[in-house]
Amino acid sequence: MAQAKDEETFELLRDEVVEEQEQPGYELRKRRIERGIFSKTLRPLGFVFAALFLITILSRDSSVLFRSAPPSTSIDSVEDVFDDYAQEKMLGIRLHPQDHVSRPPTTITHHWNITAEFHSPDGVKKLVYLVNGQFPGPTIECRSGDRLVIHVTNHLVSEGVSIHWHGLEMRNANEMDGAVGFTQCPIAERKTSTYEFEVGEEQAGTFWWHAHSEVGRGDGMYGGLVIHEQTDVLDDTEDYGYEDDVLLLIGDWYHRTAREVLAWYTSTRGFGNEPVPDSLLVNGAGKFICSMAVPARPVECVDIEDKDMTSILGAKTLTKPTRLRLVNVGSLAGFTIQISSAKLKPLTVDGGFPIVGEFADSVGIVYPGERLDVLVQWDNQASSNFPQLHISLDPEYDPSHPTPAPTDQPHRNFKYPNQALRPNQSFPVLTSSSQTSSSIAREPVRFDLATAVAASPSAIPSTPDQTILLYAKTQKLSIDNNHPSGFMNRTSWSPQSSPPFPLISLPRSKWDANQLIPYIPASSNSETWVDIVINNLDDGAHPFHLHGYSFYILASYRSDHGWGSYSPYATSGASAMKPKLNLENPIRKDTVSVPRRGYVVIRFKADNEGIWVLHCHVLFHQASGMAMGIQVGGGEGHEIVDERGKEFCAASS
Ligand SMILES: *[C@@H]1O[C@H](CO)[C@@H](O)[C@H](O)[C@H]1NC(C)=O
Ligand SMILES: *[C@@H]1O[C@H](CO)[C@@H](O)[C@H](O)[C@H]1NC(C)=O
Ligand SMILES: *[C@@H]1O[C@H](CO)[C@@H](O)[C@H](O)[C@H]1NC(C)=O
Ligand SMILES: [Cu+2]
């Protein structure tokens, strides 16, 4: 008991030290520290306590708290100990809201060098993209209204890159959206390009950035982007209702490069089946069991011991709730999470939109491109139980654990088994010497993202001004030698080839047959509301992402028997059946999973001018053509072009 108290004391001190080290000289933080449980007068006493505590545990040769730091043999000063402690590794990306929530807007500048190197994130060696030597790349933290200036230098060999800011409005900055083929040519080898734009005044929440050139995102070219919401009062942690704000970039992982996987998928060898991932990463770390590698795909692999896995929150005592921001950065599979010794309360989806959520044991499914923020409430015993974060990849994609399949055509997205994949994996939350995995005893209460509703009512008009009807399908056309391709209606997207310029730099008359870009006659100040009906004619979910906008999800339908399409134009038959639209409290998102053999109806106010991509976020579907765009404003012929998109067009390969 005495030790627990000391640990708690230690925690409090640690927070101060970490903050002072990481972000020097910040007025607000100082206030917070001074008002903290440690009053000024008690602080020296606390330091002595903590130092004594440290000396005790160190002299017992216990490296529990210092797993990742080199063993300390001598203590020169209390500060040195805190330095070591502050650098204690944790897998979660700790965020710093206190640096952003009450300052005026500013300009935040990053310089990024993009390279590729061999790394073994899960024990298996693979060529991985790095930004400034890191995978995942740097996390951008800012507040609403900030200006971001990101200088991106491409150090890759014979390969272009571009970066997209997933979920950001990019108002008046369409040309900074990073979408190759739509708004830019890839940044050529050895060239630098600057992305410069304002973060919307209304935008706050969990976002991310990733490559939008070929399939770079699948090999690690991604990172987090968190916009902190403004608050007037910030006295101490109580105001947030949680102590730590932590980002988790979770996604499936392939041991071959995404280019190789895509080549397999679009060849006839896979018969149109999706490539099943090999592994699973959290913030660029995972654990592959080398003996599970399949002979057909040998890997260079080193087994990672449980004790060598960095824990998500490091070494600490779990008392106050934790905010976890989950992002699916993967290529194909959705995921569900549970945490032993904790309950999870869903807070927001995608770009910070609050939803109604009760405490649950498991939350999901989060599909590629989607985000979910949860509040983690720890059980009393959590600290001593050493909780585990359990991640399960969507069983829709796991052939060895079949979900009820449609009876008339029994197959799903993952039709090819991959014996190498462990679809359920656990990650330690706390650093412990034993890393025993605790399981969840009770029957889990599940929070289903598919049925979520918004926390507050929305003001949406009862009818749209324009409706765009779409059908998404992967197909093997004989005209294409049975190579699978993604289609939106009858168009399979690829970047404009002749002339090889992005769409923003060309009048509509020059766009080729691979571009499906319905026109929406609207402008920045118009009140034009648009519906998009996306029908999914496949057996697996397609998570669709619309750039430049957040939309309301008015209806979502999944068919377990037969096909369920909807056409607002049909007058007879099943597809004429009007869905019941939720105009009262629909959730707002920028990425929506369109259920298999079903559809979604989304509605948004078309007040952001530009050419914005709408695509499936399954990497291989997107890369094989399941992409299109919308054009808002700019005249039906798109005669006035933005020449900036042409930069690098001739130079990049
Ligand atoms: C990026 O690379 C350049 C040239 O190699 C180097 O001078 C610069 O310091 C690097 N920047 C960062 C942030 O790593
Ligand atoms: C994986 O986890 C899910 C949900 O937690 C569970 O239903 C399923 O049975 C698990 N599969 C395996 C192989 O343990
Ligand atoms: C997609 O196809 C449907 C059915 O042919 C058609 O009604 C709809 O207008 C098409 N959408 C676009 C944007 O062309
Ligand atoms: Cu898809």
Side-chain angles (χ1 to χ4, degrees):
M1 199 59 222
Q3 178 163 340
K5 242 277 110 19
D6 281 351
E7 269 182 60
E8 203 176 304
T9 308
F10 189 72
E11 273 310 305
L12 291 162
L13 274 170
R14 188 176 73 97
D15 271 352
E16 292 184 28
V17 175
V18 170
E19 286 172 3
E20 273 165 13
Q21 272 196 337
E22 288 178 1
Q23 313 110 26
Y26 199 61
E27 208 34 54
L28 173 77
R29 188 171 54 252
K30 275 199 282 187
R31 278 210 318 270
R32 181 176 151 198
I33 288 166
E34 281 159 16
R35 281 193 225 171
I37 302 174
F38 260 133
S39 71
K40 265 182 189 156
T41 45
L42 277 178
R43 283 171 80 192
L45 194 60
F47 273 95
V48 171
F49 257 135
L52 280 175
F53 167 60
L54 271 171
I55 290 161
T56 317
I57 60 158
L58 285 175
S59 62
R60 283 198 325 224
D61 194 29
S62 153
S63 56
V64 170
L65 292 170
F66 294 90
R67 177 165 309 288
S68 49
S72 244
T73 44
S74 71
I75 300 170
D76 295 325
S77 67
V78 169
E79 277 70 25
D80 281 357
V81 174
F82 287 131
D83 278 2
D84 280 356
Y85 197 88
Q87 281 154 22
E88 213 261 343
K89 255 202 237 155
M90 58 183 258
L91 186 57
I93 298 169
R94 186 189 295 281
L95 299 166
H96 311 92
Q98 68 277 10
D99 282 3
H100 303 278
V101 292
S102 62
R103 61 164 173 79
T106 185
T107 297
I108 293 179
T109 305
H110 284 252
H111 292 265
W112 287 359
N113 286 339
I114 299 187
T115 57
E117 270 179 40
F118 281 97
H119 273 230
S120 305
D122 60 346
V124 176
K125 196 168 152 189
K126 172 179 170 174
L127 194 61
V128 174
Y129 291 112
L130 307 175
V131 174
N132 296 347
Q134 301 170 37
F135 163 59
T139 304
I140 300 176
E141 284 187 75
C142 61
R143 57 154 282 179
S144 316
D146 276 349
R147 187 163 190 80
L148 298 185
V149 180
I150 321 283
H151 305 282
V152 178
T153 305
N154 177 4
H155 293 277
L156 302 172
V157 178
S158 323
E159 198 179 331
V161 298
S162 80
I163 305 288
H164 168 60
W165 320 95
H166 188 118
L168 267 61
E169 283 173 4
M170 311 302 293
R171 209 169 277 275
N172 305 314
N174 189 207
E175 75 284 359
M176 297 291 165
D177 193 40
V180 163
F182 292 86
T183 60
Q184 70 165 91
C185 278
I187 305 165
E189 170 183 0
R190 290 194 302 276
K191 295 281 193 257
T192 299
S193 186
T194 300
Y195 292 95
E196 188 170 359
F197 52 89
E198 244 151 59
V199 175
E201 289 288 351
E202 306 294 319
Q203 290 210 287
T206 305
F207 300 84
W208 61 305
W209 56 264
H210 58 76
H212 219 290
S213 45
E214 293 188 52
V215 287
R217 160 165 79 82
D219 295 330
M221 212 189 293
Y222 60 74
L225 199 170
V226 174
I227 307 174
H228 294 289
E229 193 170 358
Q230 297 309 285
T231 54
D232 294 335
V233 274
L234 180 74
D235 290 336
D236 54 34
T237 56
E238 294 303 324
D239 285 329
Y240 292 113
Y242 49 86
E243 186 178 34
D244 294 313
D245 192 344
V246 173
L247 178 66
L248 297 182
L249 309 171
I250 301 175
D252 53 22
W253 186 248
Y254 294 80
H255 290 149
R256 290 165 294 162
T257 64
R259 280 185 181 181
E260 289 167 326
V261 178
L262 177 66
W264 178 88
Y265 174 62
T266 54
S267 73
T268 49
R269 279 175 291 155
F271 302 101
N273 296 313
E274 277 72 14
V276 180
D278 303 301
S279 191
L280 167 62
L281 301 184
V282 176
N283 291 346
K287 176 183 157 68
F288 185 72
I289 295 170
C290 297
S291 60
M292 287 179 74
V294 296
R297 296 192 305 277
V299 290
E300 222 174 291
C301 180
V302 176
D303 276 310
I304 294 176
E305 306 271 332
D306 276 345
K307 68 174 174 54
D308 293 332
M309 287 183 79
T310 308
S311 70
I312 286 171
L313 297 179
K316 65 173 293 166
T317 306
L318 301 168
T319 44
K320 297 214 173 97
T322 306
R323 185 188 190 116
L324 285 185
R325 299 171 184 257
L326 313 170
V327 184
N328 188 330
V329 295
S331 297
L332 174 66
F335 66 76
T336 296
I337 71 153
Q338 303 184 51
I339 300 179
S340 54
S341 290
K343 287 193 178 290
L344 311 170
K345 181 181 161 69
L347 300 175
T348 61
V349 286
D350 288 9
F353 300 109
I355 57 172
V356 173
E358 298 302 325
F359 279 103
D361 299 298
S362 87
V363 295
I365 301 169
V366 180
Y367 287 98
E370 291 189 308
R371 287 89 70 208
L372 177 66
D373 285 23
V374 296
L375 188 72
V376 184
Q377 180 96 58
W378 307 100
D379 292 355
N380 289 337
Q381 301 303 312
S383 297
S384 46
N385 284 348
F386 293 104
Q388 302 274 318
L389 167 71
H390 300 285
I391 302 172
S392 11
L393 292 185
D394 183 4
E396 178 173 69
Y397 294 126
D398 180 2
S400 47
H401 304 282
T403 48
T407 45
D408 51 343
Q409 202 183 342
H411 60 204
R412 304 170 307 279
N413 252 4
F414 272 20
K415 284 153 272 189
Y416 248 103
N418 180 357
Q419 302 306 338
L421 175 71
R422 286 184 301 132
N424 288 5
Q425 296 190 29
S426 298
F427 292 75
V429 171
L430 295 180
T431 308
S432 91
S433 47
S434 56
Q435 302 287 30
T436 50
S437 106
S438 43
S439 56
I440 290 167
R442 54 183 179 255
E443 182 62 24
V445 175
R446 201 174 128 62
F447 171 80
D448 186 359
L449 191 51
T451 58
V453 294
S456 52
S458 322
I460 312 168
S462 57
T463 53
D465 300 292
Q466 183 174 346
T467 298
I468 295 167
L469 172 63
L470 299 168
Y471 293 85
K473 179 149 182 60
T474 52
Q475 288 189 85
K476 291 169 284 180
L477 294 188
S478 53
I479 190 174
D480 206 13
N481 297 317
N482 290 319
H483 293 288
S485 305
F487 283 84
M488 297 304 296
N489 277 11
R490 294 178 189 287
T491 308
S492 183
W493 180 80
S494 61
Q496 173 87 17
S497 54
S498 171
F501 297 133
L503 301 184
I504 60 162
S505 306
L506 289 171
R508 188 174 271 266
S509 57
K510 294 277 183 358
W511 296 358
D512 67 22
N514 301 319
Q515 317 304 322
L516 176 64
I517 320 279
Y519 175 60
I520 298 169
S523 69
S524 303
N525 42 27
S526 55
E527 285 282 330
T528 303
W529 285 80
V530 174
D531 275 11
I532 303 184
V533 179
I534 308 174
N535 287 287
N536 177 355
L537 301 180
D538 284 318
D539 287 317
H542 290 300
F544 268 85
H545 172 47
L546 176 60
H547 292 209
Y549 283 93
S550 295
F551 44 76
Y552 295 95
I553 302 170
L554 303 187
S556 172
Y557 177 75
R558 164 187 164 133
S559 174
D560 284 319
H561 305 280
W563 299 88
S565 296
Y566 165 59
S567 164
Y569 310 124
T571 49
S572 62
S575 63
M577 212 156 76
K578 290 236 180 305
K580 187 175 157 12
L581 302 183
N582 177 7
L583 297 173
E584 196 183 316
N585 56 0
I587 57 170
R588 207 173 161 196
K589 295 182 95 273
D590 54 59
T591 308
V592 58
S593 172
V594 186
R596 68 171 182 208
R597 299 181 169 208
Y599 61 83
V600 296
V601 179
I602 63 174
R603 184 170 297 178
F604 59 95
K605 188 159 93 172
D607 61 356
N608 191 13
E609 287 189 47
I611 297 173
W612 305 104
V613 191
L614 172 65
H615 66 89
C616 176
H617 225 277
V618 168
L619 189 62
F620 314 106
H621 295 163
Q622 172 187 355
S624 64
M626 195 174 282
M628 56 175 288
I630 57 169
Q631 181 196 333
V632 179
E636 192 160 8
H638 197 259
E639 298 299 338
I640 302 168
V641 300
D642 188 333
E643 295 292 341
R644 278 175 294 184
K646 285 186 183 172
E647 200 186 355
F648 309 120
C649 285
S652 49
S653 49

